[in-house]
């Protein structure tokens, strides 16, 4: 079982991969490049352990995909990176998670600021029942990121542009966000996350409630966002992981089974369970 | 033939019909087999009840409702013209007297010969009527049983027919509530129209003096029917009540929905709802005996003249009474706001209170407004607290420390005691009641529309 954590990890750029003994990059080697790091992370819901000691590193400006069958712990793991598990009654996280080398479960850490730095997009589009403008301005306003109205206009416009939604909504910024189509709502949620200028964006199955066209727009957007953000995406859709991620991690029953370059995972998986999953034998 | 006997007979008939249907149904099953039989025997039994006992009951119900009218008109025709009163009210009195004689109940004074004759006629008609009705019921029941017995086959869709009968029964039950409402409105409307024939609507709706005096003085030439002082009192007390209930109720709801652990919530919620179960008369004397004197002495201490029975006293206590309406409804509405909405705000780095103020409350606002309007219509219609604690002084004032009166209190005053129900002084109660009813109806409709709109948003 522990052999399953033998991994391929890219050094500074994706593409070239080097075998190491752990999910984590060698210390000191690429420390400037490591954005998120988890070591021996376990998550408990009450007495039940949902995640059994997962360690991995995610480097800057890469797209990391988490795949695996339902209930394998991938969403749970994702939600540990911005401490959204704190909002679930009875959930407990052990182990160490760092963002830019800083332990985010340290008591001195302000969760509110952490969540501004590590943004999140949810499975179901969840725009607030406010106007499109107010949806995007919401986080920026909470964190005081705009001094005046024209600053805020700029934040809203640039965020909507980054989310690829500006052209579609620029004439109706005062219309309710809930009136947009599903795909537009999801891009609005991405714009909303982008507006608080995070470094990392966590995406929890962002396309599972969308039709194929909206999905492909979001996938293109992810490739575009990669230039500025580190992205972790949980997905049920293996084609999606293959299309838009640099590296892929396969989870099964709360274990990290295999991590590696996306191309390698999908063409030459090292683990039997990974192979069974991607060839559709279960999941 | 009294009602009890008939009820027993009908129940026995139903049992018999059920057994017959059941037996027949079992016979059919035995012949055709389970697969080929549409309905199980129990449904044939139920269908037999529907065909035999229900029509018999309907016949009897019609007799109870209309039988007396028929007999009475026949009896009145038999009375010699010289004894027959022209006034319908006196005719009613006479018929009551006759039926007392006929049933051997006894009457005041000696019965006149023509009365005895008429009572005899009445007794005869009653006897004949009962015989006819009994025969009719028996015939209908027998026909129903025979029909059931003859037509029950493997293909009979008794199950579907019973289903339809249940549907009809349910519709009939819900119609009761609607018809009652319509009936109430109609009766108030009729009496109000009689009132408006005596007092002009302008004087009533826009008059500033409420002093209806006594019925013996008549309604002519007086302008004491202005409802503005009462409406002002009602609105002032309701406003004070909402000032108390809305903030406290809303905060309670937010605490219960967002902050309390599920254990605390399961303890606090029922306790708060107990407030709703306290009889309003208890609130009333709590206001009169405890709150009023306390307010009065506080007023004395700070140099403000506060009456013990005032709009303030009644409003405060009424506000406490309404807290659970607002907190309970708002709590339900807040918990209906999807968790994904909260997560969205929290994931952007919002704190809990920021999330509640900027996302959860705005999302729940229509529902909360609905809850507040429902509570308001409750406050407007509240009677007992104001009867005891508002001071019953119908003057037009804007000072909450003064005694006032309300629409509901005046209705109580106009209808209690020895009253002539044809006088403007009594009839004004119906006009007041109708005004109140229309007001609360409008509030309720607005509240329901808002709440429904909110529900649609998340379904």
């Amino acid at each position: 079982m522990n052999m399953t954590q033998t991994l391929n990890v890219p050094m500074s750029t994706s593409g070239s991969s080097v075998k190491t003994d752990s999910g984590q990059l060698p210390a000191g080697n690429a420390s400037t490049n490591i954005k998120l790091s988890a070591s021996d992370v376990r998550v408990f819901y009450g007495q039940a352990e949902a995640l059994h000691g997962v360690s991995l590193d995610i480097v800057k400006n890469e797209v990391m995909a988490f795949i695996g069958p339902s209930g394998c712990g991938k969403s749970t793991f994702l939600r540990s990176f911005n401490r959204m598990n704190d909002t679930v009654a009875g959930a407990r996280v052990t182990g160490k998670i760092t963002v830019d080398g800083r332990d985010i479960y340290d008591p001195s850490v302000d969760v509110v600021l952490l969540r501004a730095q590590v943004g999140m997009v949810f499975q179901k589009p969840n725009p607030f029942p406010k106007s499109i403008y107010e949806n995007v301005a919401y986080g920026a306003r909470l964190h005081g990121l705009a001094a005046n109205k024209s600053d805020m206009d700029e934040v809203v416009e640039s965020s909507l542009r980054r989310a690829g939604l500006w052209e579609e909504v620029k004439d109706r910024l005062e219309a309710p966000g809930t009136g947009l189509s599903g795909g537009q709502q999801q891009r609005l949620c991405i714009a909303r996350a982008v507006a608080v200028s995070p470094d990392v964006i966590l995406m929890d199955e962002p396309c599972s409630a969308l039709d194929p066209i909206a999905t492909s727009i979001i996938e293109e957007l992810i490739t575009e966002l990669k230039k500025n953000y580190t992205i972790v995406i949980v997905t049920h859709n293996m084609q999606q992981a293959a299309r838009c991620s640099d590296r892929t991690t396969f989870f099964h029953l709360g274990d990290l089974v295999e991590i590696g370059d996306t191309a390698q995972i999908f063409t030459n998986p090292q683990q039997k369970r990974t192979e069974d999953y991607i060839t559709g034998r279960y999941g | 033939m009294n009602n009890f006997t008939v009820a027993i007979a009908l129940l026995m008939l139903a049992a018999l019909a059920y057994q017959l249907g059941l037996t027949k149904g079992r016979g059919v099953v035995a012949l055709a087999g389970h697969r080929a039989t549409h309905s199980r025997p129990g449904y044939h039994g139920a269908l037999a009840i529907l065909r035999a006992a229900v029509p018999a009951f309907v016949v009897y119900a019609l007799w109870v409702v209309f039988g007396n009218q028929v007999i009475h008109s026949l009896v009145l025709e038999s009375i010699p013209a010289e004894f027959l009163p022209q006034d319908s009210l006196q005719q009613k009195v006479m018929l009551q007297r006759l039926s007392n004689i006929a049933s051997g109940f006894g009457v005041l004074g000696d019965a006149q010969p023509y009365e005895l004759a008429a009572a005899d006629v009445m007794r005869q008609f009653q006897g004949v009527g009962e015989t006819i009705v009994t025969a009719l019921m028996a015939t209908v029941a027998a026909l129903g049983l025979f029909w059931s017995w003859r037509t029950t086959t493997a293909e009979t869709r008794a199950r579907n027919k019973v289903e339809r009968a249940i549907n009809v029964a349910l519709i009939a039950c819900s119609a009761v509530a609607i018809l009652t409402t319509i009936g109430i409105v109609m009766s108030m409307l009729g009496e109000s129209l009689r009132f408006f024939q005596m007092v002009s609507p302008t004087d009533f709706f826009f008059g500033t003096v409420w002093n209806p005096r006594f019925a013996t003085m008549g309604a002519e030439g007086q302008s004491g029917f202005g409802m503005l002082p009462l409406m002002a009192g009602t609105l002032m007390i309701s406003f004070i009540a909402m000032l108390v209930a809305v903030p406290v109720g809303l905060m309670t709801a937010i605490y219960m929905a967002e902050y309390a652990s599920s254990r605390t919530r399961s303890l606090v919620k029922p306790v708060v709802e107990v407030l709703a179960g306290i009889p309003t008369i208890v609130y009333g004397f709590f206001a009169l005996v405890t709150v009023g004197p306390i307010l009065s002495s506080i007023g004395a201490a700070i140099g403000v003249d506060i009456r013990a029975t005032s709009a303030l006293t009644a409003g405060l206590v009424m506000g406490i009474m309404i807290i659970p309406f607002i907190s309970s409804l708002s709590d339900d509405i807040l918990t209906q706001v999807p968790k994904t909405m909260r997560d969205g705000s929290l994931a952007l780095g919002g704190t809990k209170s920021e999330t509640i103020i900027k996302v959860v409350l705005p999302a729940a606002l229509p529902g909360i407004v609905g809850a507040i309007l429902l509570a308001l219509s409750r406050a407007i219609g509240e009677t007992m607290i104001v009867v005891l604690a508002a001071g019953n002084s119908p003057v037009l004032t804007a000072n909450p420390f003064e005694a006032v009166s309300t629409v509901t209190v005046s209705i109580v005053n106009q209808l209690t005691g020895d009253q002539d129900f044809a006088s403007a002084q009594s009839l004004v109660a119906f006009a007041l009641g109708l005004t109140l009813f229309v007001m609360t109806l409008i509030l309720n409709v607005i509240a329901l529309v808002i709440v429904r709109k909110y529900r649609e948003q998340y379904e």
Side-chain angles (χ1 to χ4, degrees):
Chain A
M1 180 73 60
N2 267 330
M3 281 301 296
T4 59
Q5 297 192 5
T6 305
L7 320 152
N8 292 320
V9 176
M11 295 308 289
S12 51
T13 55
S14 56
S16 69
S17 57
V18 172
K19 284 237 178 195
T20 62
D21 290 331
S22 126
Q24 291 176 291
L25 295 163
N29 185 344
S31 57
T32 50
N33 276 329
I34 295 176
K35 190 71 198 174
L36 304 170
S37 170
S39 61
D40 196 30
V41 171
R42 292 166 193 274
V43 181
F44 301 84
Y45 291 119
Q47 294 298 311
E49 191 179 276
L51 205 62
H52 313 306
V54 172
S55 304
L56 60 74
D57 287 332
I58 297 168
V59 295
K60 261 179 200 155
N61 298 84
E62 76 167 332
V63 177
M64 167 67 89
F66 291 170
I67 61 168
S70 295
C72 68
K74 55 193 191 306
S75 284
T76 298
F77 187 47
L78 185 79
R79 292 164 67 93
S80 307
F81 284 106
N82 65 346
R83 293 184 57 175
M84 279 304 280
N85 282 332
D86 293 12
T87 66
V88 180
R92 194 158 48 85
V93 180
T94 68
K96 190 175 175 190
I97 295 180
T98 63
V99 175
D100 290 334
R102 200 164 41 107
D103 183 359
I104 61 167
Y105 281 88
D106 190 83
S108 69
V109 166
D110 185 353
V111 182
V112 165
L113 296 181
L114 168 73
R115 288 181 187 153
Q117 191 189 358
V118 183
M120 188 163 200
V121 176
F122 294 85
Q123 187 170 357
K124 219 178 125 199
N126 57 346
F128 302 130
K130 300 169 184 285
S131 70
I132 293 170
Y133 185 96
E134 284 302 318
N135 261 285
V136 181
Y138 180 82
R141 215 165 251 158
L142 285 182
H143 297 290
L145 298 183
N148 51 44
K149 173 85 172 114
S150 65
D151 272 9
M152 187 57 85
D153 290 347
E154 227 175 279
V155 168
V156 170
E157 181 176 342
S158 67
S159 305
L160 284 170
R161 278 190 193 284
R162 287 204 165 169
L165 194 59
W166 175 252
E167 291 303 324
E168 290 161 59
V169 301
K170 62 181 176 187
D171 299 323
R172 46 171 176 151
L173 290 175
E174 294 312 313
T178 43
L180 297 173
S181 73
Q184 288 174 323
Q185 286 190 14
Q186 196 59 297
R187 278 180 283 151
L188 180 62
C189 292
I190 293 174
R192 191 172 73 179
V194 165
V196 295
S197 40
D199 310 330
V200 181
I201 300 177
L202 309 174
M203 297 187 173
D204 190 356
E205 299 181 35
C207 302
S208 64
L210 305 181
D211 65 56
I213 293 169
T215 300
S216 77
I217 294 174
I218 302 257
E219 285 175 9
E220 282 166 29
L221 181 59
I222 290 170
T223 317
E224 187 65 30
L225 289 169
K226 191 172 94 169
K227 293 174 193 156
N228 298 300
Y229 307 94
T230 306
I231 294 171
V232 187
I233 177 171
V234 165
T235 178
H236 262 125
N237 180 334
M238 281 179 280
Q239 287 76 24
Q240 182 168 68
R243 280 191 297 261
C244 60
S245 71
D246 300 319
R247 285 199 299 151
T248 297
T249 311
F250 172 62
F251 290 87
H252 187 226
L253 300 175
D255 289 311
L256 188 158
V257 177
E258 186 167 356
I259 179 170
D261 278 0
T262 298
Q264 174 255 314
I265 289 277
F266 282 100
T267 54
N268 184 23
Q270 304 296 305
Q271 297 294 323
K272 176 87 171 67
R273 282 197 282 176
T274 315
E275 189 182 340
D276 285 351
Y277 182 67
I278 61 172
T279 52
R281 237 160 264 169
Y282 64 93
Chain B
M1 187 166 74
N2 64 31
N3 289 340
F4 182 70
T5 328
V6 174
I8 296 288
L10 280 173
L11 280 178
M12 282 165 61
L13 173 62
L16 176 73
Y18 183 76
Q19 281 305 325
L20 279 175
L22 197 68
T23 314
K24 180 76 182 179
R26 283 191 181 137
V28 167
V29 171
L31 271 179
H34 277 283
R35 290 269 155 203
T37 313
H38 180 272
S39 303
R40 280 176 292 132
Y43 281 111
H44 290 296
L47 189 60
I49 294 179
L50 289 174
R51 284 175 174 171
V54 172
F57 173 75
V58 170
V59 168
Y60 184 68
L62 288 176
W63 164 247
V64 168
V65 175
F66 298 109
N68 264 341
Q69 279 185 16
V70 176
I71 290 177
H72 285 173
S73 62
L74 288 173
V75 169
L76 286 175
E77 270 175 29
S78 78
I79 294 173
E82 66 261 37
F83 298 117
L84 190 66
Q86 292 306 310
D87 187 6
S88 72
L89 205 67
Q90 278 174 318
Q91 280 184 1
K92 260 186 206 161
V93 172
M94 182 178 195
L95 282 168
Q96 187 59 48
R97 196 176 154 84
L98 287 178
S99 64
N100 281 351
I101 298 173
S103 61
F105 191 72
V107 286
L108 280 174
D110 288 330
Q112 303 293 320
Y114 80 88
E115 285 182 333
L116 288 174
D120 206 40
V121 171
M122 184 184 256
R123 214 168 18 229
Q124 278 175 13
F125 279 131
Q126 275 170 352
V128 172
E130 282 181 9
T131 315
I132 292 174
V133 167
T134 313
L136 203 57
M137 282 169 73
T139 315
V140 167
L143 278 176
L145 285 178
F146 181 68
W147 181 30
S148 267
W149 184 262
R150 282 301 300 273
T151 58
T152 301
T153 63
E155 287 83 39
T156 309
R157 302 195 165 180
R159 198 177 171 194
N160 305 20
K161 284 175 180 157
V162 169
E163 190 66 26
R164 215 172 304 144
I166 289 173
N167 197 353
V168 169
L170 292 179
I171 291 173
C173 286
S174 35
V176 169
I178 296 167
L179 291 178
T180 311
T181 313
I182 294 174
I184 291 174
V185 174
M186 282 314 187
S187 82
M188 284 204 299
L189 207 59
E191 303 294 318
S192 301
L193 287 178
R194 280 174 67 194
F195 170 74
F196 286 127
Q197 280 165 4
M198 303 181 201
V199 176
S200 90
T202 329
D203 287 349
F204 175 69
F205 285 113
F206 302 108
T208 55
V209 177
W210 176 259
N211 185 16
R213 286 175 277 180
F214 298 105
T216 45
M217 301 182 72
E220 285 77 28
Q222 66 158 295
S223 55
F225 288 106
M227 62 159 240
L228 276 188
L230 307 179
M231 196 46 80
T234 293
L235 292 180
M236 191 200 290
I237 290 177
S238 304
F239 181 70
I240 295 169
M242 299 317 277
L243 276 188
V244 175
V246 171
V248 178
L250 212 50
M251 299 286 181
T252 313
I254 291 173
Y255 172 72
M256 287 197 295
E258 306 287 332
Y259 287 93
S261 66
S262 60
R263 247 187 68 157
T264 321
R265 186 181 145 97
S266 66
L267 271 171
V268 172
K269 204 171 175 185
V271 172
V272 173
E273 279 165 5
V274 162
L275 281 179
I278 299 176
T280 54
I281 185 80
V282 176
Y283 279 109
F285 66 69
F286 171 64
L288 186 68
V289 178
T290 314
V291 178
I294 290 176
L295 285 177
S296 182
S297 58
I298 290 175
I302 60 171
V304 182
D305 186 21
I306 303 178
R307 297 257 324 237
T309 53
S310 65
L312 184 65
T313 312
L316 275 182
V317 175
M318 198 193 282
I320 293 168
M321 182 197 85
I322 289 172
I323 287 171
F325 287 88
I326 293 186
S327 72
S328 199
L329 280 170
S330 307
D331 174 45
D332 290 346
I333 288 156
L334 287 176
T335 44
Q336 270 183 32
V337 174
K339 186 174 185 301
T340 55
M341 202 82 86
R342 291 181 179 81
D343 284 350
S345 170
L346 292 174
L348 285 170
T351 64
K352 197 161 188 172
S353 65
E354 283 167 346
T355 302
I356 291 167
I357 294 169
K358 296 193 170 162
V359 174
V360 179
L361 281 183
L365 194 63
I368 290 173
V369 170
I372 291 173
L373 288 181
L374 283 180
L376 180 61
S377 71
R378 175 76 210 236
I380 288 174
E382 171 50 36
T383 309
M384 234 41 239
I385 295 176
V386 270
V387 165
L388 288 175
N392 189 18
S393 154
V395 288
L396 197 56
T397 174
N399 182 355
F401 306 138
E402 285 287 325
V404 296
S405 187
T406 67
V407 177
T408 49
V409 171
S410 303
I411 293 176
V412 172
N413 288 342
Q414 295 313 112
L415 289 183
T416 46
D418 213 2
Q419 294 285 356
D420 174 4
F421 268 78
S423 71
Q425 279 74 8
S426 296
L427 291 175
V428 70
F430 292 96
L432 289 172
L434 191 63
T435 314
L436 211 55
F437 177 82
V438 170
M439 272 179 73
T440 51
L441 185 72
I442 290 172
L443 281 177
N444 276 314
V445 168
I446 295 175
L448 286 178
V449 167
I450 291 174
V451 170
R452 186 171 305 162
K453 198 174 163 196
Y454 167 75
R455 290 249 164 83
E456 282 164 3
Q457 206 174 327
Y458 296 117
E459 269 168 11

